[in-house]
């Protein structure tokens, strides 16, 4: 353990059931959340979750329990799980115990703080409403994020949550002067390794901390890794007065780890097998992410939605904490419209005239209205064809299809797969482009001219290139004949 306890109390193991360990102490039972160590070289770590009687406690193992046996001695460390904080953690990768896992040296000059911290009091919270730009057109125009708020990327498996999250890191870390903290909860180790390489290549690692509790780790470790990352984020906000971007992939895995811990502890499950304390556990984590008088923690969280069912209790409880919901659609992904964000299902509480301004609000509402009309007309088009629509409806369809294509964007993180250079688009350019499309400025151009571009001015360049290319081809054909 990184802190030396003032005392050492020994207990003995009564029973081991998977990750649950019952321990008996003869003198004094340790408090809830105390960390206990057992096994060879004290490598097995147990966190106390309940006191059974005057001498017995029940804990969840944060490490695999191979090698534990009844009668083995257990040492009470005298404190809770601790996380390293300080500038020395920047550009490093840690596990839930604060051990560096990037093959680098052990970080020096770090402080150790408990991961069980209270959320900031109401008196400390800031009431300022500010926009947080991401450089992604569809998000900045239709569902603007809040500085110090929580945004969720919601979707089933394979619709692009992690890609969108890594793109935001790339865009924001370059222009964002604060600190980025990436927290991987129960995701694949491959993703962590790829992210590390991407951040090194992008040159943004020096202002970033990564904390991982991967899917092969016990539920206790996955359940606590979010708290460890938040403790690090709170240090930069409260002590160094810096803005923090906290990226969580995936918040559903936190709920899932809590469900496993709850089941192992013998608690009666509630609806669909979730733990009865789910809303409390999620709130204890989410309420620590806040905008205070010293700085802001802005959080972007990937939220896996089981079987694309948005009525699932995990999705419903997560929704209640978010200031912006970015819903990813499998249908749009199948149509090749990336990022596959559904603009009609997604929403943001920042999308009001008093926050984003009258012009931005009007453009966003008109885009939503146009896309909603197109969605209603799709059934008629499927049955009768486009020709049967009135001229006015045909214009709406053309406008909506051009908007859909303009709101696609090539990503920096997918350059190696698509061969298209990534684009960062300012809010002003994105709004100008949408406004010009709504005014039918590009009605004489094919829809594909607006697909996978950055600013709308690229349409003219692309059209000029296509026209000149066609002219050259015709000229060479004439010469050959």
């Amino acid at each position: 353990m990184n802190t030396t306890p003032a005392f050492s109390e020994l207990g003995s193991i009564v029973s081991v059931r998977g990750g649950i360990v019952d321990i008996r102490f003869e003198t004094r039972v340790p408090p809830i959340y105390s960390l206990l160590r057992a096994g060879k070289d004290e490598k097995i770590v147990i966190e106390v979750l309940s006191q059974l009687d005057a001498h017995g406690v029940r804990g969840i193992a944060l490490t695999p329990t191979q090698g534990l046996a009844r009668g083995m001695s257990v040492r009470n460390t005298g404190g809770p799980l601790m996380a390293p904080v300080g500038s020395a953690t920047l550009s490093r990768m840690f596990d839930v115990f604060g051990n560096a896992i990037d093959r680098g040296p052990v970080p020096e000059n770090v402080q150790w703080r408990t991961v069980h911290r209270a959320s900031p009091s109401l008196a400390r919270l800031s009431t300022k409403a500010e926009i947080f730009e991401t450089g992604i057109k569809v998000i900045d125009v239709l569902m603007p994020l809040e500085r110090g708020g929580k945004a969720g990327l919601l979707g089933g498996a394979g619709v692009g949550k992690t890609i969108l999250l890594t793109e935001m890191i790339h865009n924001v870390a370059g222009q964002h002067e604060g600190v980025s903290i990436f927290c991987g909860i129960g995701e694949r180790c491959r993703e962590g390794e790829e992210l590390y390489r991407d951040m090194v290549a992008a040159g943004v690692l020096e202002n970033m901390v990564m904390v991982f509790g991967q899917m092969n780790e016990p539920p206790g470790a996955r359940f606590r890794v979010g708290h460890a990352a938040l403790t690090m984020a709170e240090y930069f906000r409260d002590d160094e007065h810096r803005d923090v971007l906290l990226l969580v992939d995936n918040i559903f895995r936190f709920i899932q780890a809590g469900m496993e811990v709850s089941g192992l502890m013998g608690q009666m499950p509630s609806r669909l097998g979730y733990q009865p304390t789910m809303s409390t556990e999620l709130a204890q984590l989410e309420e620590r992410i806040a905008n205070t008088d010293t700085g802001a923690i802005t959080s972007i969280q990937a939220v896996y939605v089981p079987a694309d069912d948005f009525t699932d209790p995990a999705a419903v409880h997560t929704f209640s904490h978010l200031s912006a919901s970015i819903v990813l659609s499998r249908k749009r992904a199948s149509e090749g419209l990336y990022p596959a964000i559904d603009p009609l299902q997604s929403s943001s509480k920042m999308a009001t005239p008093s926050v984003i301004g009258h012009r931005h609000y009007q453009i966003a509402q008109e885009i939503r209205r146009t896309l909603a009309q197109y969605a209603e007309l799709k059934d008629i088009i499927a049955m009768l064809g486009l020709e049967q629509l009135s001229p006015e409806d045909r214009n709406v369809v053309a406008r909506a299809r051009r908007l859909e294509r303009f709101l696609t964007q090539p990503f920096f993180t997918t350059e190696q797969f698509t061969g298209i250079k990534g684009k960062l688009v300012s809010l002003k350019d994105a709004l100008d482009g949408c406004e010009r499309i709504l005014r039918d400025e590009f009605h004489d151009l094919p829809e594909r001219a607006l697909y996978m571009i950055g600013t709308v001015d690229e349409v003219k360049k692309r059209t000029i290139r296509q026209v000149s290319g066609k002219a050259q081809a015709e000229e060479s054909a004439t010469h050959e004949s």
Side-chain angles (χ1 to χ4, degrees):
M1 184 63 193
N2 303 292
T3 54
T4 308
F7 64 100
S8 179
E9 290 180 357
L10 292 178
S12 62
I13 293 174
V14 177
S15 68
V16 182
R17 296 188 309 282
I20 293 297
V21 186
D22 286 358
I23 303 132
R24 181 178 174 80
F25 287 86
E26 292 301 334
T27 52
R28 183 167 72 103
V29 290
I32 300 292
Y33 296 148
S34 292
L35 220 60
L36 314 176
R37 288 186 169 264
K40 191 183 176 188
D41 301 327
E42 294 193 336
K43 284 189 175 169
I44 295 169
V45 184
I46 302 157
E47 185 180 65
V48 175
L49 288 187
S50 72
Q51 296 181 347
L52 303 175
D53 53 40
H55 294 284
V57 295
R58 180 166 289 167
I60 182 90
L62 306 186
T63 52
T65 53
Q66 284 96 328
L68 277 192
R70 288 166 68 179
M72 270 183 149
S73 67
V74 177
R75 182 173 68 85
N76 176 12
T77 62
L81 180 64
M82 310 286 267
V85 299
S87 299
T89 60
L90 290 171
S91 79
R92 303 301 302 274
M93 190 189 277
F94 297 94
D95 65 9
V96 69
F97 304 108
N99 302 318
I101 53 171
D102 53 7
R103 298 183 183 173
V106 176
E108 295 175 4
N109 302 322
V110 293
Q111 301 171 39
W112 291 84
R113 290 187 183 172
T114 173
V115 301
H116 304 284
R117 295 166 65 84
S119 56
S121 63
L122 272 174
R124 283 190 56 212
L125 298 181
S126 169
T127 54
K128 257 194 310 189
E130 290 177 60
I131 294 297
F132 186 86
E133 267 194 55
T134 62
I136 298 168
K137 289 181 285 194
V138 65
I139 293 174
D140 290 344
V141 172
L142 292 173
M143 57 226 66
L145 307 189
E146 179 187 10
R147 178 181 169 270
K150 295 179 270 280
L153 309 177
L154 296 107
V159 290
K161 294 185 298 297
T162 303
I163 290 284
L164 196 52
L165 204 61
T166 47
E167 182 69 9
M168 284 188 187
I169 298 171
H170 183 281
N171 291 2
V172 174
Q175 58 184 357
H176 177 72
E177 291 175 7
V179 177
S180 297
I181 294 182
F182 183 91
C183 176
I185 306 177
E187 289 295 301
R188 302 161 191 83
C189 58
R190 167 184 62 78
E191 292 174 354
E193 190 268 337
E194 284 174 1
L195 180 71
Y196 186 82
R197 276 193 284 116
D198 290 345
M199 296 305 105
V200 171
V204 296
L205 195 66
E206 65 271 8
N207 278 327
M208 193 163 184
V209 185
M210 298 188 196
V211 192
F212 286 96
Q214 296 302 326
M215 57 167 54
N216 61 317
E217 295 187 34
R222 284 181 272 126
F223 189 56
R224 287 290 174 231
V225 72
H227 298 93
L230 259 172
T231 304
M232 294 179 180
E234 284 166 342
Y235 166 83
F236 290 110
R237 179 191 67 191
D238 300 336
D239 292 45
E240 294 200 0
H241 306 297
R242 295 171 77 175
D243 281 1
V244 183
L245 177 65
L246 176 68
L247 302 123
V248 184
D249 188 13
N250 187 302
I251 205 74
F252 173 77
R253 305 290 174 204
F254 167 76
I255 294 170
Q256 197 175 39
M259 179 167 69
E260 290 175 49
V261 169
S262 174
L264 288 166
M265 290 293 288
Q267 290 178 345
M268 186 70 74
S270 69
R271 209 173 130 228
L272 294 181
Y274 288 105
Q275 65 272 40
T277 53
M278 174 169 64
S279 59
T280 314
E281 289 165 359
L282 187 62
Q284 282 172 345
L285 186 79
E286 295 280 10
E287 290 300 301
R288 287 170 65 180
I289 303 167
N291 187 358
T292 69
D293 42 19
T294 54
I297 299 177
T298 303
S299 172
I300 300 168
Q301 308 169 7
V303 186
Y304 168 68
V305 180
D308 292 339
D309 176 16
F310 285 88
T311 62
D312 188 273
V316 170
H317 281 284
T318 308
F319 266 130
S320 64
H321 293 281
L322 304 175
S323 55
S325 303
I326 299 164
V327 178
L328 291 138
S329 152
R330 198 172 300 283
K331 190 171 184 300
R332 291 178 76 80
S334 67
E335 290 169 7
L337 299 170
Y338 292 104
I341 295 168
D342 187 329
L344 298 178
Q345 272 193 289
S346 305
S347 63
S348 168
K349 72 170 194 179
M350 302 300 281
T352 58
S354 59
V355 177
I356 58 175
H358 190 70
R359 176 177 174 253
H360 183 168
Y361 178 74
Q362 289 297 340
I363 292 169
Q365 288 299 95
E366 201 172 336
I367 292 168
R368 284 181 189 280
R369 203 161 36 245
T370 306
L371 294 174
Q373 282 177 274
Y374 176 42
E376 286 171 12
L377 292 167
K378 274 182 179 174
D379 288 343
I380 299 168
I381 295 165
M383 285 188 290
L384 303 174
L386 195 63
E387 295 74 28
Q388 300 302 314
L389 296 179
S390 66
E392 193 182 326
D393 283 347
R394 249 180 283 178
N395 284 341
V396 167
V397 170
R399 223 171 285 146
R401 288 180 65 85
R402 283 182 172 79
L403 279 170
E404 279 185 338
R405 275 139 192 81
F406 176 65
L407 291 174
T408 61
Q409 190 167 338
F411 281 177
F412 293 96
T413 46
T414 56
E415 271 180 35
Q416 54 186 334
F417 310 118
T418 61
I420 306 169
K421 195 168 176 3
K423 300 281 166 66
L424 185 82
V425 184
S426 71
L427 176 60
K428 182 185 175 299
D429 289 339
L431 286 172
D432 287 347
C434 291
E435 195 173 35
R436 287 165 70 181
I437 291 166
L438 288 166
R439 285 203 226 108
D440 293 334
E441 196 174 309
F442 304 99
H443 68 94
D444 52 340
L445 291 175
E447 291 167 3
R448 66 177 180 274
L450 291 152
Y451 180 67
M452 282 293 170
I453 59 169
T455 63
V456 80
D457 294 327
E458 290 176 35
V459 177
K460 300 271 170 69
K461 293 175 193 168
R462 187 182 279 189
T463 311
I464 290 163
R465 277 202 304 272
Q466 285 172 349
V467 168
S468 62
K470 198 184 280 185
Q472 282 174 357
E474 285 172 4
E475 198 176 318
S476 61
T478 311
H479 282 309
E480 283 168 17
S481 61

